[in-house]
Amino acid sequence: MKIHEKYIKRCLQLAEIGLGRTFPNPMVGAVVVHKGRIIGEGWHRKAGEAHAEVHAINSVKDKSLLGKSTIYVSLEPCSHYGKTPPCSDLIIASGIRKVVIGSVDPFAAVAGRGIKKLMDAGCMVSVGILEKECRELNRRFFTFHQQQRPYIILKWAESRDGFISPKPSEASERKPVWITNQYSRQLVHKWRAEEQAILVGTNTAVSDDPGLGTRSWHGPDPVRLVLDRQLRIPKESQLFDRKIRTIVITDLKNSVPGNEVNLVFEKIDFDKDPATQVAGILYKHELQSVIIEGGRQTLQTFIDSGLWDEARNFRGNEDMGAGTQAPKISGRLVSETRLGADTLKIYRNDHDHNI
């Protein structure tokens, strides 16, 4: 293994610890190496707090070694004042003169400026080490800044015979019908904690009365979005409990109630490419990623528009016999795993998104 790749891999391991907690910032890991030994490491833990380079440099016990060390960073050090000072300035001030970077930062306020500042200060800078892997880790961040839309994840569960939900029940009780086991359901809550937003359609909201939080996992709740063209979701629904920020997307022709802190209404024209308009609303609200959990019509709308990046498909171990068929998708199958009796398949949409 090439020596630079070895330490950038460690940066990636550290960076991933921050998944779901660094938005709107990217995940970044950094290590300080002296004579083939890691003497400091760190990762970005939360937006507004110290960046990976700060933690890595501060963790070095013998600061006299910094001038003879190399710092490895999975993403270009920032060069601007945001909520924290520029990391490129800290690297220069620390005396480190060798910097190895995984990938250039696509954010307009950085985008090569950090590299230039380091080079202008006399640092030896290497860029593009495991670049593909570094971009893959921050695919949400890159998609948001390069395509001006969120990274879109589709998720659904279907029965062994290919149904996503049973025939509509005549019962008045609103509750979900579980297709998968408890382990799969807990994994879904983990995923929710890792993304910024979650979206469902009207039928799912009406029939299941979902809360869309992370009750089975420790982590932040995603912003909730619901498509409600005719504003027919009952007002006593969990989605309207004001406990989690919720965005209701409705039709241009409807009168829209006033917005509140945790309940916001946005209008689109459902007859004109709704998937693209929804992606635009997510971008407007600076949401870098979204899990679309259904139902079938909502999922198929994004599939047919080609506006998705990743699909996560659970298949349970029992037949349903009849009901609503699961969406039809074509993409590159990247993994297939077992969760007890359930099967999880993950697909990627290999469209040209420069990741």
Side-chain angles (χ1 to χ4, degrees), residues 58-105:
N58 287 345
S59 71
V60 176
K61 293 181 179 179
D62 185 354
K63 298 296 192 290
S64 68
L65 298 179
L66 290 172
K68 302 174 184 178
S69 300
T70 301
I71 188 168
Y72 291 81
V73 191
S74 57
L75 192 70
E76 176 184 2
C78 61
S79 58
H80 66 293
Y81 281 88
K83 293 183 179 179
T84 59
C87 290
S88 53
D89 288 357
L90 174 64
I91 292 171
I92 293 166
S94 73
I96 295 174
R97 288 296 174 263
K98 293 182 180 179
V99 185
V100 180
I101 298 168
S103 175
V104 176
D105 192 327

Side-chain angles (χ1 to χ4, degrees), residues 120-336:
D120 288 347
C123 294
M124 295 174 56
V125 182
S126 299
V127 184
I129 310 302
L130 295 183
E131 182 176 13
K132 181 179 179 181
E133 291 84 348
C134 292
R135 293 170 66 90
E136 168 68 14
L137 177 70
N138 277 307
R139 56 193 181 276
R140 301 159 181 83
F141 185 75
F142 276 85
T143 298
F144 185 81
H145 287 287
Q146 293 181 332
Q147 296 195 48
Q148 287 75 56
R149 68 165 179 84
Y151 186 82
I152 298 172
I153 301 167
L154 310 180
K155 195 267 343 177
W156 73 93
E158 61 185 83
S159 62
R160 187 170 55 186
D161 52 352
F163 294 98
I164 197 171
S165 62
K167 290 182 178 180
S169 171
E170 295 181 0
S172 59
E173 186 177 6
R174 301 167 63 204
K175 63 179 182 179
V177 175
W178 298 116
I179 295 173
T180 54
N181 61 42
Q182 61 182 354
Y183 308 109
S184 298
R185 296 199 292 271
Q186 186 178 42
L187 178 59
V188 169
H189 283 234
K190 177 179 181 291
W191 288 344
R192 290 177 181 178
E194 294 171 351
E195 311 303 334
Q196 277 200 285
I198 185 169
L199 182 147
V200 295
T202 307
N203 291 336
T204 298
V206 171
S207 62
D208 294 356
D209 189 24
L212 303 182
T214 56
R215 66 185 182 277
S216 297
W217 193 263
H218 177 72
D221 293 314
V223 175
R224 304 181 295 198
L225 289 92
V226 59
L227 304 179
D228 190 5
R229 184 172 186 170
Q230 302 297 329
L231 294 177
R232 64 184 182 88
I233 298 173
K235 295 299 180 285
E236 65 273 12
S237 300
Q238 292 188 77
L239 290 173
F240 299 138
D241 61 12
R242 276 74 166 175
K243 294 179 180 178
I244 304 171
R245 182 170 173 80
T246 301
I247 300 172
V248 180
I249 301 174
T250 188
D251 197 283
L252 287 168
K253 296 184 287 295
N254 287 309
S255 58
V256 177
N259 291 334
E260 303 175 24
V261 173
N262 270 358
L263 184 59
V264 177
F265 291 83
E266 293 280 5
K267 297 184 289 185
I268 67 169
D269 186 342
F270 278 79
D271 295 323
K272 296 181 179 179
D273 191 8
T276 298
Q277 294 179 75
V278 169
I281 287 172
L282 284 153
Y283 182 76
K284 169 187 171 181
H285 286 270
E286 299 184 340
L287 299 169
Q288 291 183 11
S289 65
V290 60
I291 299 178
I292 298 176
E293 287 204 4
R296 185 192 189 280
Q297 181 177 344
T298 301
L299 289 162
Q300 200 65 55
T301 295
F302 280 84
I303 292 170
D304 293 345
S305 296
L307 197 55
W308 63 279
D309 299 286
E310 191 174 322
R312 302 171 181 178
N313 171 213
F314 290 98
R315 177 160 291 208
N317 194 40
E318 296 183 6
D319 293 333
M320 194 171 287
T324 303
Q325 288 191 332
K328 303 299 181 183
I329 192 167
S330 61
R332 176 171 58 90
L333 179 64
V334 295
S335 68
E336 182 172 347

